[in-house]
Amino acid sequence: MSDQQPAPAVCPGCQNEDSLLLPCGHRLCSSCLELCQSEFGQDRPGCTECYGRELLDSVLKGLLDSLFEGQRRRVEAGEAAVEEDGDLCLRHRERLSLFCMEDEELICGQCQAEEHDEHECSSVEEATQECKRELREALGPLQEKLETLNAAKKSCQETSLHIRRQAQNTARLIKENFEKLHQFLHDEETSVLRALSEEEEQKSQKMKEQMDRLTDEITTLKETLTSAEEAMSAEDMPFLKSYKKTSERMDCTVQDPVEISESLIDVAKHLGSLKFRVWEKMQSAVTYTPVILNPNTADVCVSLSDDLTTIRYSEEEQLLPENPERFSFYECVLGSEGLVSGRHSWDVEVGDCSEWALGVVKESVQRKEWFPPSPERGMWTVGLYGGEYRARTPTSAPLKLKKKPQKIRVQLDCEAGRVTFSDAADNSIIYKYKNKFTEKVFPYFSNTCKRHPMHILAEKVSVYTE
C-alpha cells in the first residue's frame, strides 16, 4: 500500500481547504455557506451547486412546458421514469443540453447530429439568455402599446366627465333662456289683460253715466206726470186757477236717449293676430347672430361667453378634452356651421383688441400643429399683428388703412370664390381673397389680446307678412 495521503477537499467557491461536508454531499466552507444563506435566504438550500441545478431545472421545465403545451406525449412501457425526468431526451435518453434556435426546441447531442446538423444550436445557458433578450425586445413595443391604451382610456374618462359638465351647463343655459321667454310672454299676457280691463272699466263708466242721466230724467218726468194727474183731479175752480202753472210744468222738454257708439268691448283689437303681435314685440327680447361659435374647436386658452358670441383670451389653460376638432397651436375658435354655397356675411367688433385675426378656413385644415397661415394651407385671414394690419399670405405687406376699424365685416361668396374684409362703419374695403373653394369652409376667429374681448354682432330681426 502507498503511504500517500488523499488531497484535502477544497471549497468550490473560494478554494479554501477548510470545507464542510453538507447533507447533500457537496462541500462548502463556513464563510461561503453563510454568504449563500444570506443571499438565497434561510429557506433556500445553502449549497450553490444544488441551487444552480434547481434553477436550471426550473428554466428547462418552463421551456419544455411551453413547447409541448397541448401535445400528447407517447410513453412506452418501461419509459415512465425517463419521461418524468424533464432533463432527458425522450427519444435518445440523453440529457437535453442544446436548444435549436430555428425550431425553438430543446435537443440532445444525438438529435443535433441526426436532425439539426444545419440548424443554429446553442447551449441551454446561451439559449436562455438569447431568448430572454428577444422577449425583452418584444415586450418593449407591447409595453408602449399598453401605455398608449391606458392613456387613451384616461382620455375617454376625462372626455366623459367633460360631456357630463357640458350637458349640465347647456341644460342650465337652456332653462335660463326659456325662463326669459316665459317671463316675456307672462309680461305680455299681463299687458294685454290690463288693456282689456282698462277698456272694460272705461266703457262701463260711460254706461253708468248714461244710466244716471236717464234715471234723473225718468224721475223728473214721473214727478211732472204725477203733478198733472193731481191737478186734473181737483174741482173746476181750483183746477182752472192752477192750470197755467200746471201747463208750464207740462211744457218741459225731454230729449230722446242718445245711443253711445263703440260702447262694447273691442274684442277684435285684443284677440286679432294676438300671437303675431306678440311675436313682433319679441324682437326686443330675441336676437339673431349669423355665426355661433363651436366650443369644441376652441383652443384651451380661448374662453367663450354663454351665448357663444364673445371670444376672450386667457393665459390660464382650461382643462378640455384633446378631441380631433380642437385647435392646439392657434388661440382660435371656429363657427359652428360649415359653409359650402351661397353668400354669407357677419360683423365682428374688434374694438381695442391689440392682436386678432378673422376669416375662413377649410374643414380639413391642420389643427394639431403650427404652420404659417396662408391660403395654400387652407386659411384666408386678415388680422392685426404687432400693430400692423396684414393679410396672411406669403408675400403680403402691411395694409394701409385710413383709420382704425372698430367693426370688421367678413363677406363670403362661395360660388364666386371670394372672401372680402371691410370696415363695417363705412363699408370701405380692407382686403379681398380670390379662391376656388373645393370643400366646406368655417368662419375663423382668433383673439390673443389679454385685455379686450372680440364680439360677433347680432343682426336686426324683422317680422313681416307677405
Side-chain angles (χ1 to χ4, degrees), residues 346 348 350 355-361 373-375 379-385 388-393 396-401 405 408-411 419-423 428-434 444-447 454:
W346 55 93
V348 183
V350 295
E355 191 169 276
W356 52 265
L358 298 171
V360 297
V361 300
S374 66
M379 301 180 73
W380 298 267
T381 61
V382 163
L384 176 62
Y385 309 93
E388 295 180 334
Y389 295 95
R390 288 181 177 272
R392 300 310 296 264
T393 63
S396 66
L399 302 173
K400 297 181 179 180
L401 306 182
I408 304 295
R409 177 166 295 154
V410 184
Q411 295 172 292
V419 184
T420 305
F421 301 86
S422 58
D423 187 336
S428 57
I429 301 299
I430 297 175
Y431 194 80
K432 285 185 179 181
Y433 282 103
K434 180 69 175 172
Y444 174 89
F445 307 85
S446 176
N447 179 19
M454 175 190 293

Side-chain angles (χ1 to χ4, degrees), residues 449-465:
C449 178
K450 301 176 183 178
R451 299 178 59 189
H452 302 287
M454 175 190 293
H455 182 63
I456 304 173
L457 298 177
E459 295 183 353
K460 184 179 179 180
V461 179
S462 298
V463 178
Y464 61 92
T465 59

Side-chain angles (χ1 to χ4, degrees), residues 38-227:
S38 64
E39 291 291 331
F40 302 150
Q42 296 295 330
D43 57 336
R44 305 294 300 174
C47 178
T48 55
E49 294 189 31
C50 291
Y51 179 76
R53 180 176 298 174
E54 179 182 342
L55 180 62
L56 182 60
D57 290 347
S58 176
V59 172
L60 292 175
K61 184 177 184 304
L63 290 173
L64 284 171
D65 289 344
S66 63
L67 288 172
F68 295 102
E69 183 178 2
Q71 299 183 15
R72 297 182 61 185
R73 300 185 182 182
R74 296 180 58 187
V75 182
E76 298 180 0
E79 292 186 352
V82 177
E83 182 184 21
E84 290 177 359
D85 190 348
D87 293 349
L88 299 181
C89 174
L90 297 179
R91 292 178 57 192
H92 305 107
R93 299 182 183 179
E94 292 185 9
R95 181 170 295 278
L96 298 170
S97 58
L98 299 172
F99 186 78
C100 177
M101 303 300 291
E102 184 172 336
D103 294 337
E104 296 182 347
E105 62 177 356
L106 285 163
I107 59 175
C108 65
Q110 192 169 346
C111 288
Q112 180 186 21
E114 294 179 357
E115 302 177 2
H116 304 269
D117 57 332
E118 296 182 358
H119 296 174
E120 180 185 353
C121 298
S122 303
S123 66
V124 171
E125 292 80 3
E126 293 176 350
T128 300
Q129 293 179 2
E130 178 64 20
C131 290
K132 286 184 177 181
R133 184 188 64 77
E134 292 180 358
L135 285 178
R136 290 192 192 97
E137 292 178 355
L139 286 175
L142 295 179
Q143 186 66 34
E144 293 177 0
K145 193 69 174 179
L146 178 61
E147 293 175 358
T148 301
L149 294 177
N150 285 330
K153 181 180 178 181
K154 182 180 179 181
S155 177
C156 288
Q157 292 172 340
E158 294 173 351
T159 301
S160 179
L161 291 175
H162 185 72
I163 290 171
R164 185 181 304 170
R165 290 193 295 266
Q166 273 189 315
Q168 292 172 349
N169 187 57
T170 304
R172 177 182 61 82
L173 295 175
I174 289 173
K175 289 181 180 179
E176 289 180 2
N177 278 275
F178 273 99
E179 284 173 1
K180 292 178 181 179
L181 292 175
H182 293 159
Q183 186 61 46
F184 175 84
L185 292 174
H186 179 267
D187 293 344
E188 280 301 304
E189 178 187 5
T190 302
S191 176
V192 172
L193 290 175
R194 185 185 300 115
L196 174 62
S197 178
E198 290 173 355
E199 183 180 358
E200 177 191 11
E201 183 178 354
Q202 179 184 5
K203 293 189 173 180
S204 295
Q205 182 63 29
K206 286 184 178 181
M207 287 297 103
K208 183 179 180 301
E209 293 172 358
Q210 178 74 348
M211 287 189 294
D212 290 344
R213 286 193 297 269
L214 292 173
T215 299
D216 292 342
E217 291 179 357
I218 290 171
T219 301
T220 301
L221 190 56
K222 282 184 177 180
E223 291 176 351
T224 301
L225 291 174
T226 301
S227 176

